[in-house]
Amino acid sequence: MKEDWLEELIAAADTDKRNEKQIKILQAAVDMFSEKGYASTSTNEIAKKAGVAEGTIFRYYKTKKELLMAIVLPALTKFAAPFFIQSFAKQVFEDSYDSYEQFLRTVIRNRFEFARKNMPILKILIQEVPFHPELKQEVQNVFEKELYSRFVGIIQQFQKQGDVIEIPAATIIRLSVSSLAGFLLTRFLLLPEASWDDEAEIEYTIQFILHGLTPRGDI
């Protein structure tokens, strides 16, 4: 039985679902790139894991780099971007919120579930984006075109209501996103086997973003 993320990847990459060899190559490449990293993985290793000849890989992908792009670019342009626009927008931006805390709580829970379900692909993106300019540009495009202005609008709304301090919206986004990313990376990538109380950690992250480390009574 294929994992959910692989089904999404196959659909995003326009791969013929009947072509089992190509599907096995994609699955093996995701597993190997996620486990060892792109640079440390050879096409021979991918072929062995997929149970195909190495030449079969090059029948579908001219180079290892093309295979990487076949995995991550669809994930960004056809999978991640539509997810942000459709699911994320419906679940987050189309609702009304009484406070920035309520908005933040919705965002964090949404991204937590997304990371939990799609970590193999996200792990490859985290590992490879810094080393491939085209991937970095695509990530920036998705964020800037689909998310940034919406976040700014929400923050400015709560600043007018006096619910958020008057500092640049870009700074608030950076501080909020970096705290959330730090939590998700530690939870799912760095220390996934640790004993986690997810509900408590989500709450700690929210309270840290809202109040920092200063005891509430001393503010």
Side-chain angles (χ1 to χ4, degrees):
M1 182 177 178
K2 300 183 186 71
E3 296 180 72
D4 290 344
W5 59 263
L6 182 59
E7 291 284 5
E8 295 283 0
L9 179 60
I10 291 167
D14 296 324
T15 300
D16 187 341
K17 292 187 178 183
R18 295 168 297 178
N19 191 331
E20 290 298 325
K21 286 186 178 180
Q22 192 171 6
I23 291 171
K24 287 179 180 178
I25 290 169
L26 284 171
Q27 185 171 20
V30 169
D31 289 344
M32 296 298 295
F33 290 158
S34 177
E35 178 184 345
K36 296 182 61 177
Y38 169 77
S40 299
T41 299
S42 68
T43 52
N44 184 52
E45 290 174 310
I46 294 170
K48 287 181 179 178
K49 188 171 184 66
V52 301
E54 187 174 12
T56 304
I57 293 178
F58 297 114
R59 185 183 306 165
Y60 300 109
Y61 309 101
K62 294 178 182 179
T63 63
K64 185 174 73 167
K65 180 71 171 285
E66 187 174 304
L67 175 57
L68 174 68
M69 295 304 160
I71 293 169
V72 295
L73 285 182
L76 283 169
T77 60
K78 295 184 181 180
F79 177 35
F83 180 88
F84 287 143
I85 297 169
Q86 298 168 12
S87 177
F88 190 75
K90 286 180 180 179
Q91 295 174 25
V92 176
F93 292 116
E94 291 184 7
D95 288 338
S96 59
Y97 301 95
D98 297 326
S99 66
Y100 186 63
E101 178 177 355
Q102 188 182 31
F103 168 71
L104 194 61
R105 195 175 296 278
T106 301
V107 170
I108 289 179
R109 290 190 176 280
N110 183 285
R111 294 298 83 190
F112 180 88
E113 286 303 311
F114 183 73
R116 183 177 64 81
K117 293 177 181 178
N118 300 282
M119 185 45 61
I121 294 294
L122 292 177
K123 186 176 180 181
I124 294 172
L125 290 174
I126 291 165
Q127 291 172 336
E128 304 306 331
V129 163
F131 304 105
H132 301 280
E134 60 271 53
L135 295 182
K136 184 177 180 181
Q137 186 62 52
E138 196 64 42
V139 170
Q140 290 174 339
N141 289 342
V142 169
F143 182 76
E144 291 174 1
K145 292 180 181 178
E146 313 300 346
L147 296 178
Y148 184 76
S149 63
R150 297 179 186 230
F151 272 114
V152 169
I154 290 283
I155 290 168
Q156 289 176 341
Q157 169 194 329
F158 288 120
Q159 285 179 324
K160 290 179 181 178
Q161 295 176 196
D163 195 49
V164 176
I165 60 175
E166 290 291 340
I167 61 175
T171 301
I172 294 175
I173 293 171
R174 175 177 57 80
L175 294 172
S176 299
V177 170
S178 61
S179 296
L180 172 58
F183 165 49
L184 296 180
L185 287 174
T186 305
R187 169 64 180 86
F188 293 108
L189 186 60
L190 300 179
L191 297 171
E193 304 303 324
S195 179
W196 288 90
D197 183 337
D198 291 329
E199 289 300 314
E201 292 296 333
I202 288 172
E203 190 62 31
Y204 294 151
T205 303
I206 292 169
Q207 295 307 316
F208 175 76
I209 293 172
L210 293 173
H211 307 296
L213 297 177
T214 303
R216 298 294 300 278
D218 295 346
I219 296 176

